[in-house]
Amino acid sequence: MRHRSSMSRNVTALAAALALLAPLAAAPAAQSQSGQTAPRTAWGDPDLQGMWDFRTVTPLERPEEFAGKEFLTAEDAVALRENELASRNADQRGSSQASDLERGYNDFWWDYGSELTEDRRTSLIVDPPNGRMPPLTAAAAALASGPRRGSPKERIVLGVVPSGPEDIGLAERCLVGFNSGPPIVPSFYNNNVLILQGPGYVVLHTEMIHETRVIPLDGRPHLPASMRQWLGDSRGHWDGDMLVVETTNFTDKTSFTGLPYQRGGSTENMRLVERFRRAGRGGLVYEFTVTDPAAWTQPWTAVVPMKLTDSPIFEYACHEGNYAMFNMLAGSRSQERAEEEKKQ
């Protein structure tokens, strides 16, 4: 469940530490490339700080029924929004206790948002022009079509009983968040990112699970290729008023698919370029480009609009003390014993 805990205190302490690095007087605003007044930090960098909400009804990939349509008419947008909300508000109760728990009781978690992007785009993906992920390479397609033991839904379908933690997905084990990225993509809930800045650094802290990236801006090289990390190795620089972040050194243990259990997936060779820029007083445009020749036949780009919010961020206490992992594996052992008893 979500609640305030040590993570909230750690983020507050980090913000305080960064603030001590800055002069007390704020720098004047400057004109951005678009002609709008761009806020500046006390040390003169573009100010991206704040809590940013990236919920949206707009899907990552363009639905088949809107093939060839980059933008919706006002009427189509209203219809799509109403249909989406109606499907989410439908009775989700199942025919058994187990399905009722999974589909009905847990429905209160979901927080997808209720609005399309302001430009009524049919997908967050803007390149390729069809608004969809490019085709997978032959090797990646073969891998994606095989069983993925880490998916809880597929474990149920395949009847797989996990023998150890390695048979359980990373999000289920609370190691990485399914919408925290990188890259950051709207998903089921916890669609918030906190941006903090200090001279020479930008911090991205996502609400989902516990992901915090401290990104240096001093031009230092990436880590050696032999050093791999869950979130990759991020380096940033300013391009005018735009923050550009390049991330490499991903591990082969993670796979970005956009949304859990969706087709596709990246490899440890992924190169990610993210761009952040202010859009008016209360908006932030987040754009990312994924390049991974081992996974996709071409790079692809998505644009995710974010809105400034004064809502607090909460820790996603996925399973403190890892109690859930113990319980899941204990349940698996119990299931195995029950199956053995049936055979006797």
Side-chain angles (χ1 to χ4, degrees):
M1 61 182 298
R2 300 191 306 173
H3 59 78
R4 290 185 184 276
S5 186
S6 58
M7 181 59 68
S8 298
R9 293 191 294 273
N10 291 341
V11 172
T12 302
L14 180 58
L18 290 173
L20 290 175
L21 298 174
L24 295 178
Q31 291 293 317
S32 67
Q33 295 176 351
S34 63
Q36 296 179 333
T37 300
R40 318 300 284 193
T41 63
W43 53 96
D45 286 342
D47 192 344
L48 307 179
Q49 297 179 101
M51 182 74 67
W52 300 98
D53 182 338
F54 51 92
R55 292 176 296 172
T56 180
V57 175
T58 304
L60 178 65
E61 294 189 281
R62 183 174 301 159
E64 294 291 349
E65 60 265 32
F66 297 120
K69 284 188 176 182
E70 185 175 3
F71 300 95
L72 294 170
T73 64
E75 294 76 12
D76 285 342
V78 170
L80 175 62
R81 177 180 178 275
E82 290 180 349
N83 289 339
E84 181 68 22
L85 294 179
S87 65
R88 294 177 184 174
N89 293 329
D91 190 343
Q92 297 294 324
R93 288 175 294 181
S95 58
S96 66
Q97 286 184 337
S99 61
D100 187 42
L101 175 63
E102 180 179 345
R103 297 174 54 194
Y105 175 80
N106 287 332
D107 193 57
F108 79 95
W109 281 110
W110 309 140
D111 186 23
Y112 297 87
S114 58
E115 300 296 335
L116 297 165
T117 58
E118 291 185 0
D119 58 5
R120 302 196 299 269
R121 188 177 293 274
T122 53
S123 65
L124 298 177
I125 292 178
V126 297
D127 186 56
N130 66 1
R132 300 187 65 81
M133 291 182 188
L136 296 172
T137 63
L143 183 63
S145 63
R148 291 168 289 168
R149 292 166 64 91
S151 161
K153 291 184 178 179
E154 288 174 320
R155 286 205 309 272
I156 293 172
V157 172
L158 297 173
V160 175
V161 177
S163 58
E166 64 279 359
D167 293 332
I168 298 177
L170 297 179
E172 193 177 0
R173 292 162 61 187
C174 305
L175 293 176
V176 295
F178 51 73
N179 68 350
S180 58
I184 302 168
V185 177
S187 190
F188 305 140
Y189 52 87
N190 285 10
N191 294 294
N192 296 296
V193 58
L194 173 64
I195 299 181
L196 304 171
Q197 293 175 245
Y201 292 90
V202 173
V203 176
L204 303 178
H205 174 76
T206 48
E207 184 172 16
M208 192 68 222
I209 300 190
H210 48 239
E211 316 300 7
T212 302
R213 281 190 284 162
V214 180
I215 303 169
L217 308 175
D218 57 6
R220 71 184 66 178
H222 283 284
L223 294 173
S226 60
M227 298 181 67
R228 301 285 167 168
Q229 303 186 124
W230 292 116
L231 307 182
D233 181 48
S234 296
R235 299 288 184 265
H237 68 272
W238 294 105
D239 181 5
D241 289 342
M242 180 184 297
L243 173 65
V244 181
V245 179
E246 180 188 49
T247 304
T248 59
N249 295 66
F250 289 97
T251 171
D252 61 359
K253 295 181 176 63
T254 60
S255 179
F256 171 69
T257 59
L259 291 174
Y261 323 131
Q262 189 179 0
R263 71 170 182 85
S266 60
T267 73
E268 61 179 350
N269 301 307
M270 180 172 74
R271 175 178 176 268
L272 174 68
V273 176
E274 300 165 285
R275 299 176 177 86
F276 301 79
R277 60 179 174 83
R278 293 292 292 260
R281 294 181 60 86
L284 184 76
V285 176
Y286 170 64
E287 175 184 320
F288 66 84
T289 298
V290 174
T291 302
D292 189 344
W296 286 287
T297 54
Q298 69 180 82
W300 56 279
T301 299
V303 176
V304 181
M306 300 185 179
K307 295 181 179 179
L308 194 63
T309 176
D310 57 2
S311 297
I313 196 168
F314 293 91
E315 180 193 8
Y316 183 78
C318 201
H319 50 65
E320 292 182 339
N322 217 17
Y323 300 120
M325 180 61 65
F326 174 87
N327 293 335
M328 286 188 287
L329 295 179
S332 297
R333 304 292 78 78
S334 177
Q335 183 177 347
E336 288 173 343
R337 288 193 297 269
E339 293 297 326
E340 287 298 323
E341 290 175 358
K342 289 181 181 179
K343 297 177 182 179
Q344 295 177 358

